[in-house]
Amino acid sequence: MKITWVRRISQVFFLLLFLWFCLVTTVGEEWWRLRGWPVNWFLQLNPLTALGVVLGTGSLPAGLEWSLLVIALTVILGRFFCGWVCPFGTLHQAIGWLGLRRAAPAEQCLRRAFRPAQRIKYYLLAFLLAAAAGGLLAPAVGRLAGQSARLESIREFAAGSLQTGWLDPISFMHRAVNLVILPLADRGIHVLWTGARLAQGAALIGGLFLAALLVNLWIPRFYCRYVCPLGALYGVLGRFALWRVGKRQRDCSNCLKCEAACEGACQPAGRIRTHECVLCMNCLHACPDDLVGYRLARSASGERAAPDLTRRGVIASLLAGFAVAPLGRLAGGRDPRRIRPPGAGPEREFLTRCLRCGQCMRICPTNILHPALTEAGLEGFGTPVAKFSLGIGGCQLRCAACSQICPTGAIRPLTLNEKIGRGAFRERGPVRMGTAFVDRGRCLPWAMNRPCIVCEENCPVSPKAISIQEIFEPLPGRRREIARGDELTLFFEGETDAAARVSDDLYCRIAGDFDAEPRRIIECGPAQWSIDPNHPWESPPPKGSVAELLVLLQRPVVDPERCIGCGVCESVCPLATVRAIRVTADGESREARSGFLL
Amino acid sequence: MSRPPLDPERREFLARGLKAAAALAATGLAGHALGWRTGRADREEVHDWPVPDFSQPAADPRLAIVTGPDRTTNLRKAMEALGGWARFVKPGDGVLLKVNAAFASPATLGATTHPDLVAEAVAQCLRAGASRVVVTDHPIHDQASCFEWSGIGAAARRAGAELWVPREDDFAPVTLPGGRLLRHWPFLKGPFKGIRRLIGLTPVKDHYRSGASLTLKNWYGLLGGRRSVFHQDIHTLIAELAQLVRPTLVILDGTTTMIRNGPTGGSLADLKATDTLVVGTDPVAVDAFGVTLLGREASDLPHLARAAAAGAGTASYELLNPVRIQAGAS
C-alpha cells in the first residue's frame, strides 16, 4: 500500500473520531452519550493551547499533558499532525482536491505554489503568544524590582489574554461543529436535542467556517498555509526533525510533478522549506524518477529550515501582542450581561484560559451558554456567557456539566455540593452567577395589576429567593353605588361591562366606615357581585354606599442574599421579548468587586 | 447556382428573439401563477386534535383514601379497594402514565412523582395485561435531566415501561369547545398514540399561585408553547384542563407533602409526612380531598368549584363514599 493511502486512512479515522466526540458530548444515559468518552482529546493534544495557557498562568491544566506527546513526535517527525491527524486540515485537503481534480498540471503547479504570504502565520503565532504571555512579564519585573502594590495594579492591567482559540484549528472546528453544524443537522431529526438548539452568533461562526473551507477551491489548504498558528508552531518545533522529506540527488528533470501535488507548498523540487512540509507524502509517489524520500538525511538540493521572517516583523508582532490586552482593558467598565458559567474564575484569570472552543456551550443541557458578541467586550468576544432568555429553564441547580468539561480550567470543575453550597461549602454559600432584578415597569403584577408570579413558582432555591408582596389594588373605574345588598351579595343599578378577565383574584370593599375588610368575590356579574360565603358581612351593606372592586396582587421581590443568579426566573417569565425579571452579573461570587450588598 | 445561405446574423437574431420571448412568457406565467396563489385565502384550516375521553362510566367505588407510610403498599391497597386494576386496565390496552417530572430534582425532595410509585403503577398495569405502558411529562427544565434526576426514567425503564421524552414535533394544537384559554394551544399529543387508558400520578405540593399542585394541575405538563402566560388566570386554565383531559384514573401521592416553598421545594424542611395516598376516577374529588393534606380547603382552590360546575367531577368528595383504609407499614 502506498504511504499516501495510509495517510488518507489516518486522516479519515481522526476526522471521524473528532466528529464522534462532538456527537457524544451530550448529557444522557445511552452509550453514545457522554459516558466517559475523552471528548476533549483533540483540544488536549494541542501544543498551542498548552503553550498559551502556560504562558498566561504559569501552569499546565490537567489533560494537556497529551500535547507533550505531540510536541515530542513533532520534534522527531515534523508536522505529522497537520498532514495525518488534524481534522480541519483533512477537510481543507479534501476540498482543495475537489477544486483542482480536473486542473491541468501547470494549473495545479500554480495553485499549489509557495507564496511568501505563508509567513503570515508565524507572525500571527508570535502575536498570539505575546498576547497570552503578558501576565508573565509583570511577575518577572516584580522579581527584579521587589514586590510592591504598584506591581499588583500592573499585573492586573497587563495580565495575559488567551486569544489563540480564535485561529487554532481544533477550537475553530469544535466551535463550528458544536454550535452550528450539529444544531443545524438536528433540526429535523431531534436525536441530540428535543427541540431547536440555538447559538447566538451562529451565522458568524458558521460563515467563517464556510469561508475557511471554500477558499480551498482557489488555493488548497489555504488556512493551513497562511493562517494556522498551530501549524506555524509545528513548523518551528519540527525544525530539527530527525526524519524529513527531501531529494536523494541535487539534480532532477525539474518536472515539478512533486510540487503540483504538494499540500504544504514546501517546494520539494528545490530547496525544500521543511517548516512548511505537512508530510502529505504526495511528492514521494509523484516523482517519476523516485528521487524524493522521507529520510534521515537532508535534501540533496538543499533546505530552508527556518521561515524567512524579518526581525522587525517579529518584533512588531510581539509588541502588538503585548499591547493588545492592556489596550483592550483601557475601556474599563463591566457589562451587566457578562454572566459567566458557574465555576468560571475571576475575569482576568478566565481570559487567560478560555479557548472559545464552545465545549461548555455544547454540553449545557438547557442551552443557556452562548458565545459573547458584545457582552464581554472585544477581548472576550466568543467566550461563554449565559443568555437566560435564549435557553430553556435557566442554569439548572443540580448541574455543573460546563465546569466539568472545560479543557483548560477556565471554568473550574465544581461538585454539586460546591455549586449549591452544601456540606463542606455551607459556610461559603452557593456559587452565584449574578442577581435577578425585577423590572417593575414591565412585570405584570407591578406594572399592569395583573396576576402572574411564574418567576416565584420556578425559583429553585429553598427558601425561595423571590418572595411575594400581597397587595389590594383598586381597579380603575370600578367604584359602584350599591342599589341593594345582603350579607353575601351586592346589587347595582344598570349594567357595566362584565368583570375583569382575571376573575379569581377579585375582591370588593365597601368605602366608608361600614366594614373596610376586602371580601373575595366568587361571582362577578355585570349587575351583582357575590362574595365568599365563609366571610359574609355582618349586616347587609347600606344602600347608596360605594363598593370598590379590588384585585389581590402577588408582586415578586428578589432577596439578593438568597438569589444565586441561575436565571430560571428570567427564562420562564411570560414576557417573551424583554423579560420582566432579568439577571445581571451584579453579585457574582467569582468577582468580589461585583458585590453590592453591605 | 445555389441559393445564398441564410444570413448568419439574421439566423442568430431569430434564435435570440425566440429565447427572449420564451423568457418573457415564463416570467409572465410564473407571475400569474404566484399571483393567483397569494390571491387565494392563505389561511390554513386549523385541524385541532380532539383529546380522547379516557374516563370510564361512573361506578362505585370511585375514591379510595389509604393511610400508611409506604406508598407502594398504599397503592396496592387502594387499587384492591377500587376493585382491582382489571377494572381499569384491560388486556391489550396501551396505558399512558402522566407523571410530574417538572424539575431536575431528586426524588427525596418530593418535587416530582416518586419513582417507587411509578415503578409500582407500571408493574401493576403490565400485570393487568396492558400491552404497553408509556410514561411521560413535558417538564420545565431540561427533559433528560428531569427524568434522570427524579429517578422516574430509570424506574420506568426498569419496570418495563417506555419513557416518552417529548420532542418539538410531539405537540399538536387542541381546543376546548367553549373554552376561553385553551384555543389552538399546543398539546403533547405524541405519547397518546395507541393509548386507551390515561392515568395521572402526582405528589401533593404547595403552589402559591394556584393554591396547590394536585392531579388537575398535573395536566399543565401536557401543554406546550409559552404556557407561563396562563398564570394570569390559572384557575380558569386548570378548570379548562379538567374538562379537556378526562383520565381513567388519578393517583395522588400524599405520603409526603410539600407544605411550603412549592412547587420546586429544594429542602427536606419543605416536606411533611402526611402518610396518605388517594386514588380515584374523579380528579376533582381527589384534589378536593388532597388539598386538605396541605391544611387548606377545597374552597381555597376556585378551579375545583369551576371544574365541578363544568361537569368534570365533584368537589364534595364525601358524597362519593370514599373507601378509607389503614394500610400500616409494609
Side-chain angles (χ1 to χ4, degrees), chain A residues 194 396 398 450-451 457 459 462 464 470 504-505 520 572-573, chain B residues 104 145 168 207 209 226 228 231-232 235 261-262 264 270 299 306:
Chain A
T194 53
Q396 229 159 259
R398 295 172 196 87
R450 289 182 72 99
E457 174 186 327
C459 176
S462 177
K464 286 182 186 294
E470 288 207 333
D504 295 301
D505 306 276
R520 186 156 70 88
V572 296
C573 177
Chain B
S145 310
E168 213 172 29
H207 193 282
R209 186 73 190 110
R226 249 196 118 57
S228 60
H231 273 55
Q232 292 167 54
H235 292 294
N261 216 48
T264 52
D270 300 330
S299 63
R306 216 166 298 159

PDB file of all heavy atoms in Angstrom, chain A residues 194 396 398 450-451 457 459 462 464 470 504-505 520 572-573, chain B residues 104 145 168 207 209 226 228 231-232 235 261-262 264 270 299 306:
ATOM      1  N   THR A 194     -34.325  17.715  22.089  1.00  0.00           N
ATOM      2  CA  THR A 194     -35.748  17.509  21.830  1.00  0.00           C
ATOM      3  C   THR A 194     -36.372  18.686  21.095  1.00  0.00           C
ATOM      4  O   THR A 194     -37.446  18.563  20.542  1.00  0.00           O
ATOM      5  CB  THR A 194     -36.501  17.267  23.141  1.00  0.00           C
ATOM      6  OG1 THR A 194     -36.182  18.336  24.030  1.00  0.00           O
ATOM      7  CG2 THR A 194     -36.094  15.963  23.768  1.00  0.00           C
ATOM      8  N   GLN A 396     -29.532  25.019  35.502  1.00  0.00           N
ATOM      9  CA  GLN A 396     -30.147  24.017  36.350  1.00  0.00           C
ATOM     10  C   GLN A 396     -29.377  23.901  37.660  1.00  0.00           C
ATOM     11  O   GLN A 396     -28.155  23.775  37.653  1.00  0.00           O
ATOM     12  CB  GLN A 396     -30.132  22.685  35.622  1.00  0.00           C
ATOM     13  CG  GLN A 396     -31.459  21.997  35.642  1.00  0.00           C
ATOM     14  CD  GLN A 396     -31.559  20.976  34.534  1.00  0.00           C
ATOM     15  OE1 GLN A 396     -32.171  21.209  33.502  1.00  0.00           O
ATOM     16  NE2 GLN A 396     -30.925  19.855  34.733  1.00  0.00           N
ATOM     17  N   ARG A 398     -28.942  21.608  39.864  1.00  0.00           N
ATOM     18  CA  ARG A 398     -28.109  20.429  40.100  1.00  0.00           C
ATOM     19  C   ARG A 398     -27.390  20.007  38.822  1.00  0.00           C
ATOM     20  O   ARG A 398     -27.549  18.899  38.340  1.00  0.00           O
ATOM     21  CB  ARG A 398     -28.961  19.294  40.645  1.00  0.00           C
ATOM     22  CG  ARG A 398     -29.521  19.626  42.006  1.00  0.00           C
ATOM     23  CD  ARG A 398     -30.531  18.630  42.507  1.00  0.00           C
ATOM     24  NE  ARG A 398     -31.278  19.205  43.618  1.00  0.00           N
ATOM     25  CZ  ARG A 398     -32.364  19.935  43.459  1.00  0.00           C
ATOM     26  NH1 ARG A 398     -32.838  20.171  42.272  1.00  0.00           N
ATOM     27  NH2 ARG A 398     -32.971  20.438  44.523  1.00  0.00           N
ATOM     28  N   ARG A 450     -51.846  42.862  36.912  1.00  0.00           N
ATOM     29  CA  ARG A 450     -52.356  41.547  36.514  1.00  0.00           C
ATOM     30  C   ARG A 450     -51.551  40.488  37.253  1.00  0.00           C
ATOM     31  O   ARG A 450     -50.337  40.589  37.355  1.00  0.00           O
ATOM     32  CB  ARG A 450     -52.196  41.336  35.013  1.00  0.00           C
ATOM     33  CG  ARG A 450     -53.145  42.180  34.188  1.00  0.00           C
ATOM     34  CD  ARG A 450     -52.959  41.878  32.740  1.00  0.00           C
ATOM     35  NE  ARG A 450     -53.488  40.569  32.394  1.00  0.00           N
ATOM     36  CZ  ARG A 450     -54.687  40.385  31.832  1.00  0.00           C
ATOM     37  NH1 ARG A 450     -55.439  41.406  31.545  1.00  0.00           N
ATOM     38  NH2 ARG A 450     -55.110  39.176  31.541  1.00  0.00           N
ATOM     39  N   PRO A 451     -52.217  39.454  37.756  1.00  0.00           N
ATOM     40  CA  PRO A 451     -51.504  38.415  38.491  1.00  0.00           C
ATOM     41  C   PRO A 451     -50.578  37.615  37.574  1.00  0.00           C
ATOM     42  O   PRO A 451     -50.806  37.532  36.370  1.00  0.00           O
ATOM     43  CB  PRO A 451     -52.620  37.511  39.017  1.00  0.00           C
ATOM     44  CG  PRO A 451     -53.881  38.266  38.821  1.00  0.00           C
ATOM     45  CD  PRO A 451     -53.659  39.214  37.699  1.00  0.00           C
ATOM     46  N   GLU A 457     -42.753  30.893  41.374  1.00  0.00           N
ATOM     47  CA  GLU A 457     -43.057  29.466  41.355  1.00  0.00           C
ATOM     48  C   GLU A 457     -41.824  28.653  40.980  1.00  0.00           C
ATOM     49  O   GLU A 457     -41.559  27.597  41.528  1.00  0.00           O
ATOM     50  CB  GLU A 457     -44.185  29.208  40.353  1.00  0.00           C
ATOM     51  CG  GLU A 457     -44.464  27.748  40.150  1.00  0.00           C
ATOM     52  CD  GLU A 457     -45.472  27.506  39.043  1.00  0.00           C
ATOM     53  OE1 GLU A 457     -46.366  28.349  38.872  1.00  0.00           O
ATOM     54  OE2 GLU A 457     -45.362  26.481  38.359  1.00  0.00           O
ATOM     55  N   CYS A 459     -38.559  29.529  41.092  1.00  0.00           N
ATOM     56  CA  CYS A 459     -37.291  29.763  41.790  1.00  0.00           C
ATOM     57  C   CYS A 459     -36.867  28.481  42.504  1.00  0.00           C
ATOM     58  O   CYS A 459     -37.607  27.949  43.330  1.00  0.00           O
ATOM     59  CB  CYS A 459     -37.439  30.895  42.799  1.00  0.00           C
ATOM     60  SG  CYS A 459     -35.936  31.155  43.763  1.00  0.00           S
ATOM     61  N   SER A 462     -34.243  27.065  48.070  1.00  0.00           N
ATOM     62  CA  SER A 462     -35.104  26.866  49.239  1.00  0.00           C
ATOM     63  C   SER A 462     -34.422  27.443  50.460  1.00  0.00           C
ATOM     64  O   SER A 462     -33.301  27.081  50.747  1.00  0.00           O
ATOM     65  CB  SER A 462     -35.373  25.381  49.478  1.00  0.00           C
ATOM     66  OG  SER A 462     -36.140  25.212  50.651  1.00  0.00           O
ATOM     67  N   LYS A 464     -37.261  30.195  48.896  1.00  0.00           N
ATOM     68  CA  LYS A 464     -37.192  30.882  47.612  1.00  0.00           C
ATOM     69  C   LYS A 464     -36.554  32.269  47.731  1.00  0.00           C
ATOM     70  O   LYS A 464     -36.758  32.975  48.703  1.00  0.00           O
ATOM     71  CB  LYS A 464     -38.603  31.022  47.030  1.00  0.00           C
ATOM     72  CG  LYS A 464     -39.140  29.717  46.490  1.00  0.00           C
ATOM     73  CD  LYS A 464     -40.500  29.879  45.879  1.00  0.00           C
ATOM     74  CE  LYS A 464     -41.109  28.540  45.475  1.00  0.00           C
ATOM     75  NZ  LYS A 464     -40.384  27.875  44.390  1.00  0.00           N
ATOM     76  N   GLU A 470     -48.167  40.779  48.975  1.00  0.00           N
ATOM     77  CA  GLU A 470     -49.578  40.753  48.590  1.00  0.00           C
ATOM     78  C   GLU A 470     -50.165  42.137  48.801  1.00  0.00           C
ATOM     79  O   GLU A 470     -49.918  42.779  49.820  1.00  0.00           O
ATOM     80  CB  GLU A 470     -50.335  39.722  49.424  1.00  0.00           C
ATOM     81  CG  GLU A 470     -49.972  38.309  49.014  1.00  0.00           C
ATOM     82  CD  GLU A 470     -51.096  37.328  49.289  1.00  0.00           C
ATOM     83  OE1 GLU A 470     -51.881  37.606  50.205  1.00  0.00           O
ATOM     84  OE2 GLU A 470     -51.173  36.312  48.578  1.00  0.00           O
ATOM     85  N   ASP A 504     -60.225  35.372  39.464  1.00  0.00           N
ATOM     86  CA  ASP A 504     -60.090  34.672  40.742  1.00  0.00           C
ATOM     87  C   ASP A 504     -59.421  35.505  41.806  1.00  0.00           C
ATOM     88  O   ASP A 504     -59.264  35.061  42.916  1.00  0.00           O
ATOM     89  CB  ASP A 504     -59.298  33.390  40.539  1.00  0.00           C
ATOM     90  CG  ASP A 504     -60.070  32.455  39.662  1.00  0.00           C
ATOM     91  OD1 ASP A 504     -61.186  32.111  40.041  1.00  0.00           O
ATOM     92  OD2 ASP A 504     -59.566  32.125  38.580  1.00  0.00           O
ATOM     93  N   ASP A 505     -58.962  36.672  41.456  1.00  0.00           N
ATOM     94  CA  ASP A 505     -58.229  37.462  42.414  1.00  0.00           C
ATOM     95  C   ASP A 505     -58.978  38.750  42.716  1.00  0.00           C
ATOM     96  O   ASP A 505     -58.404  39.718  43.142  1.00  0.00           O
ATOM     97  CB  ASP A 505     -56.831  37.760  41.850  1.00  0.00           C
ATOM     98  CG  ASP A 505     -56.134  36.491  41.445  1.00  0.00           C
ATOM     99  OD1 ASP A 505     -55.536  35.846  42.319  1.00  0.00           O
ATOM    100  OD2 ASP A 505     -56.226  36.097  40.255  1.00  0.00           O
ATOM    101  N   ARG A 520     -63.511  38.373  49.219  1.00  0.00           N
ATOM    102  CA  ARG A 520     -63.247  37.748  47.926  1.00  0.00           C
ATOM    103  C   ARG A 520     -64.553  37.578  47.148  1.00  0.00           C
ATOM    104  O   ARG A 520     -65.556  37.123  47.688  1.00  0.00           O
ATOM    105  CB  ARG A 520     -62.589  36.381  48.111  1.00  0.00           C
ATOM    106  CG  ARG A 520     -62.166  35.745  46.792  1.00  0.00           C
ATOM    107  CD  ARG A 520     -61.034  34.749  47.012  1.00  0.00           C
ATOM    108  NE  ARG A 520     -61.470  33.547  47.710  1.00  0.00           N
ATOM    109  CZ  ARG A 520     -61.968  32.473  47.098  1.00  0.00           C
ATOM    110  NH1 ARG A 520     -62.078  32.447  45.786  1.00  0.00           N
ATOM    111  NH2 ARG A 520     -62.337  31.415  47.785  1.00  0.00           N
ATOM    112  N   VAL A 572     -38.430  31.735  32.462  1.00  0.00           N
ATOM    113  CA  VAL A 572     -39.852  31.371  32.431  1.00  0.00           C
ATOM    114  C   VAL A 572     -40.780  32.583  32.409  1.00  0.00           C
ATOM    115  O   VAL A 572     -41.988  32.425  32.241  1.00  0.00           O
ATOM    116  CB  VAL A 572     -40.240  30.462  33.629  1.00  0.00           C
ATOM    117  CG1 VAL A 572     -39.513  29.147  33.545  1.00  0.00           C
ATOM    118  CG2 VAL A 572     -39.975  31.155  34.946  1.00  0.00           C
ATOM    119  N   CYS A 573     -40.243  33.778  32.563  1.00  0.00           N
ATOM    120  CA  CYS A 573     -41.079  34.981  32.544  1.00  0.00           C
ATOM    121  C   CYS A 573     -41.870  35.034  31.237  1.00  0.00           C
ATOM    122  O   CYS A 573     -41.308  34.872  30.159  1.00  0.00           O
ATOM    123  CB  CYS A 573     -40.206  36.230  32.682  1.00  0.00           C
ATOM    124  SG  CYS A 573     -41.152  37.756  32.572  1.00  0.00           S
TER     125      CYS A 573
ATOM    126  N   ALA B 104     -35.627  19.088  37.620  1.00  0.00           N
ATOM    127  CA  ALA B 104     -34.475  18.193  37.767  1.00  0.00           C
ATOM    128  C   ALA B 104     -34.107  18.177  39.239  1.00  0.00           C
ATOM    129  O   ALA B 104     -33.225  18.895  39.687  1.00  0.00           O
ATOM    130  CB  ALA B 104     -33.320  18.690  36.908  1.00  0.00           C
ATOM    131  N   SER B 145     -32.568  15.677  31.968  1.00  0.00           N
ATOM    132  CA  SER B 145     -32.145  15.864  33.358  1.00  0.00           C
ATOM    133  C   SER B 145     -33.299  15.600  34.306  1.00  0.00           C
ATOM    134  O   SER B 145     -33.119  14.995  35.361  1.00  0.00           O
ATOM    135  CB  SER B 145     -31.648  17.290  33.578  1.00  0.00           C
ATOM    136  OG  SER B 145     -30.715  17.666  32.617  1.00  0.00           O
ATOM    137  N   GLU B 168     -40.145  18.385  19.921  1.00  0.00           N
ATOM    138  CA  GLU B 168     -40.861  19.527  19.350  1.00  0.00           C
ATOM    139  C   GLU B 168     -42.070  19.084  18.522  1.00  0.00           C
ATOM    140  O   GLU B 168     -43.132  19.687  18.555  1.00  0.00           O
ATOM    141  CB  GLU B 168     -39.882  20.278  18.464  1.00  0.00           C
ATOM    142  CG  GLU B 168     -40.083  21.750  18.411  1.00  0.00           C
ATOM    143  CD  GLU B 168     -38.930  22.405  17.657  1.00  0.00           C
ATOM    144  OE1 GLU B 168     -38.337  21.760  16.775  1.00  0.00           O
ATOM    145  OE2 GLU B 168     -38.629  23.568  17.956  1.00  0.00           O
ATOM    146  N   HIS B 207     -48.426  25.378  46.109  1.00  0.00           N
ATOM    147  CA  HIS B 207     -48.258  26.169  44.890  1.00  0.00           C
ATOM    148  C   HIS B 207     -48.893  27.519  45.158  1.00  0.00           C
ATOM    149  O   HIS B 207     -50.096  27.613  45.387  1.00  0.00           O
ATOM    150  CB  HIS B 207     -48.949  25.464  43.715  1.00  0.00           C
ATOM    151  CG  HIS B 207     -48.588  26.014  42.375  1.00  0.00           C
ATOM    152  ND1 HIS B 207     -49.128  27.163  41.897  1.00  0.00           N
ATOM    153  CD2 HIS B 207     -47.734  25.559  41.432  1.00  0.00           C
ATOM    154  CE1 HIS B 207     -48.632  27.404  40.683  1.00  0.00           C
ATOM    155  NE2 HIS B 207     -47.776  26.445  40.385  1.00  0.00           N
ATOM    156  N   ARG B 209     -49.539  30.252  43.450  1.00  0.00           N
ATOM    157  CA  ARG B 209     -50.484  30.886  42.540  1.00  0.00           C
ATOM    158  C   ARG B 209     -51.810  30.133  42.450  1.00  0.00           C
ATOM    159  O   ARG B 209     -52.868  30.732  42.384  1.00  0.00           O
ATOM    160  CB  ARG B 209     -49.828  30.980  41.161  1.00  0.00           C
ATOM    161  CG  ARG B 209     -50.620  31.738  40.155  1.00  0.00           C
ATOM    162  CD  ARG B 209     -50.610  33.226  40.398  1.00  0.00           C
ATOM    163  NE  ARG B 209     -51.605  33.839  39.516  1.00  0.00           N
ATOM    164  CZ  ARG B 209     -52.740  34.383  39.919  1.00  0.00           C
ATOM    165  NH1 ARG B 209     -53.008  34.448  41.190  1.00  0.00           N
ATOM    166  NH2 ARG B 209     -53.580  34.873  39.062  1.00  0.00           N
ATOM    167  N   ARG B 226     -45.764  28.769  25.053  1.00  0.00           N
ATOM    168  CA  ARG B 226     -45.372  29.646  26.175  1.00  0.00           C
ATOM    169  C   ARG B 226     -46.452  29.601  27.227  1.00  0.00           C
ATOM    170  O   ARG B 226     -47.178  30.562  27.472  1.00  0.00           O
ATOM    171  CB  ARG B 226     -45.172  31.068  25.656  1.00  0.00           C
ATOM    172  CG  ARG B 226     -43.726  31.432  25.703  1.00  0.00           C
ATOM    173  CD  ARG B 226     -43.441  32.882  25.592  1.00  0.00           C
ATOM    174  NE  ARG B 226     -42.787  33.405  26.785  1.00  0.00           N
ATOM    175  CZ  ARG B 226     -41.660  32.946  27.287  1.00  0.00           C
ATOM    176  NH1 ARG B 226     -41.047  31.932  26.748  1.00  0.00           N
ATOM    177  NH2 ARG B 226     -41.129  33.480  28.354  1.00  0.00           N
ATOM    178  N   SER B 228     -46.515  29.732  30.308  1.00  0.00           N
ATOM    179  CA  SER B 228     -46.482  30.510  31.541  1.00  0.00           C
ATOM    180  C   SER B 228     -47.445  31.699  31.489  1.00  0.00           C
ATOM    181  O   SER B 228     -47.761  32.256  32.525  1.00  0.00           O
ATOM    182  CB  SER B 228     -45.062  30.983  31.839  1.00  0.00           C
ATOM    183  OG  SER B 228     -44.567  31.786  30.804  1.00  0.00           O
ATOM    184  N   HIS B 231     -50.591  31.742  33.851  1.00  0.00           N
ATOM    185  CA  HIS B 231     -50.601  32.042  35.277  1.00  0.00           C
ATOM    186  C   HIS B 231     -51.445  33.269  35.596  1.00  0.00           C
ATOM    187  O   HIS B 231     -51.817  33.476  36.734  1.00  0.00           O
ATOM    188  CB  HIS B 231     -49.173  32.226  35.785  1.00  0.00           C
ATOM    189  CG  HIS B 231     -48.558  30.926  36.200  1.00  0.00           C
ATOM    190  ND1 HIS B 231     -48.485  29.856  35.357  1.00  0.00           N
ATOM    191  CD2 HIS B 231     -48.004  30.515  37.371  1.00  0.00           C
ATOM    192  CE1 HIS B 231     -47.907  28.848  35.988  1.00  0.00           C
ATOM    193  NE2 HIS B 231     -47.601  29.214  37.203  1.00  0.00           N
ATOM    194  N   GLN B 232     -51.708  34.085  34.583  1.00  0.00           N
ATOM    195  CA  GLN B 232     -52.522  35.264  34.837  1.00  0.00           C
ATOM    196  C   GLN B 232     -53.941  34.878  35.217  1.00  0.00           C
ATOM    197  O   GLN B 232     -54.653  35.650  35.849  1.00  0.00           O
ATOM    198  CB  GLN B 232     -52.533  36.165  33.596  1.00  0.00           C
ATOM    199  CG  GLN B 232     -51.167  36.773  33.339  1.00  0.00           C
ATOM    200  CD  GLN B 232     -51.076  37.399  31.968  1.00  0.00           C
ATOM    201  OE1 GLN B 232     -51.890  38.228  31.626  1.00  0.00           O
ATOM    202  NE2 GLN B 232     -50.099  36.989  31.190  1.00  0.00           N
ATOM    203  N   HIS B 235     -56.644  29.616  37.585  1.00  0.00           N
ATOM    204  CA  HIS B 235     -57.766  28.760  37.992  1.00  0.00           C
ATOM    205  C   HIS B 235     -58.667  28.432  36.806  1.00  0.00           C
ATOM    206  O   HIS B 235     -59.136  27.311  36.656  1.00  0.00           O
ATOM    207  CB  HIS B 235     -58.554  29.418  39.120  1.00  0.00           C
ATOM    208  CG  HIS B 235     -57.784  29.485  40.388  1.00  0.00           C
ATOM    209  ND1 HIS B 235     -57.435  28.356  41.088  1.00  0.00           N
ATOM    210  CD2 HIS B 235     -57.246  30.526  41.067  1.00  0.00           C
ATOM    211  CE1 HIS B 235     -56.735  28.701  42.161  1.00  0.00           C
ATOM    212  NE2 HIS B 235     -56.602  30.008  42.165  1.00  0.00           N
ATOM    213  N   ASN B 261     -42.806  26.453  50.032  1.00  0.00           N
ATOM    214  CA  ASN B 261     -41.756  26.668  49.035  1.00  0.00           C
ATOM    215  C   ASN B 261     -42.043  25.906  47.728  1.00  0.00           C
ATOM    216  O   ASN B 261     -41.137  25.584  46.977  1.00  0.00           O
ATOM    217  CB  ASN B 261     -40.394  26.253  49.597  1.00  0.00           C
ATOM    218  CG  ASN B 261     -39.288  27.167  49.111  1.00  0.00           C
ATOM    219  OD1 ASN B 261     -39.424  28.380  49.161  1.00  0.00           O
ATOM    220  ND2 ASN B 261     -38.218  26.593  48.604  1.00  0.00           N
ATOM    221  N   GLY B 262     -43.333  25.583  47.520  1.00  0.00           N
ATOM    222  CA  GLY B 262     -43.660  24.840  46.317  1.00  0.00           C
ATOM    223  C   GLY B 262     -43.698  25.721  45.096  1.00  0.00           C
ATOM    224  O   GLY B 262     -43.681  26.938  45.233  1.00  0.00           O
ATOM    225  N   THR B 264     -41.355  23.914  43.723  1.00  0.00           N
ATOM    226  CA  THR B 264     -39.995  23.416  43.491  1.00  0.00           C
ATOM    227  C   THR B 264     -39.410  22.764  44.733  1.00  0.00           C
ATOM    228  O   THR B 264     -38.637  21.829  44.631  1.00  0.00           O
ATOM    229  CB  THR B 264     -39.071  24.590  43.101  1.00  0.00           C
ATOM    230  OG1 THR B 264     -39.213  25.618  44.073  1.00  0.00           O
ATOM    231  CG2 THR B 264     -39.418  25.132  41.738  1.00  0.00           C
ATOM    232  N   ASP B 270     -39.017  21.497  53.614  1.00  0.00           N
ATOM    233  CA  ASP B 270     -40.263  21.901  52.952  1.00  0.00           C
ATOM    234  C   ASP B 270     -41.287  20.763  52.961  1.00  0.00           C
ATOM    235  O   ASP B 270     -42.411  20.952  52.530  1.00  0.00           O
ATOM    236  CB  ASP B 270     -39.982  22.312  51.503  1.00  0.00           C
ATOM    237  CG  ASP B 270     -39.006  23.475  51.417  1.00  0.00           C
ATOM    238  OD1 ASP B 270     -39.009  24.289  52.351  1.00  0.00           O
ATOM    239  OD2 ASP B 270     -38.250  23.542  50.438  1.00  0.00           O
ATOM    240  N   SER B 299     -62.426  25.124  49.049  1.00  0.00           N
ATOM    241  CA  SER B 299     -62.880  26.451  48.625  1.00  0.00           C
ATOM    242  C   SER B 299     -61.699  27.388  48.375  1.00  0.00           C
ATOM    243  O   SER B 299     -61.860  28.452  47.774  1.00  0.00           O
ATOM    244  CB  SER B 299     -63.817  27.051  49.670  1.00  0.00           C
ATOM    245  OG  SER B 299     -63.110  27.220  50.877  1.00  0.00           O
ATOM    246  N   ARG B 306     -65.143  25.430  39.843  1.00  0.00           N
ATOM    247  CA  ARG B 306     -65.430  25.714  38.438  1.00  0.00           C
ATOM    248  C   ARG B 306     -65.401  24.428  37.602  1.00  0.00           C
ATOM    249  O   ARG B 306     -66.225  24.231  36.712  1.00  0.00           O
ATOM    250  CB  ARG B 306     -64.412  26.716  37.911  1.00  0.00           C
ATOM    251  CG  ARG B 306     -65.037  27.659  36.943  1.00  0.00           C
ATOM    252  CD  ARG B 306     -64.159  28.843  36.676  1.00  0.00           C
ATOM    253  NE  ARG B 306     -63.906  29.631  37.864  1.00  0.00           N
ATOM    254  CZ  ARG B 306     -62.865  30.452  37.973  1.00  0.00           C
ATOM    255  NH1 ARG B 306     -61.994  30.547  36.979  1.00  0.00           N
ATOM    256  NH2 ARG B 306     -62.711  31.166  39.063  1.00  0.00           N
TER     257      ARG B 306
END
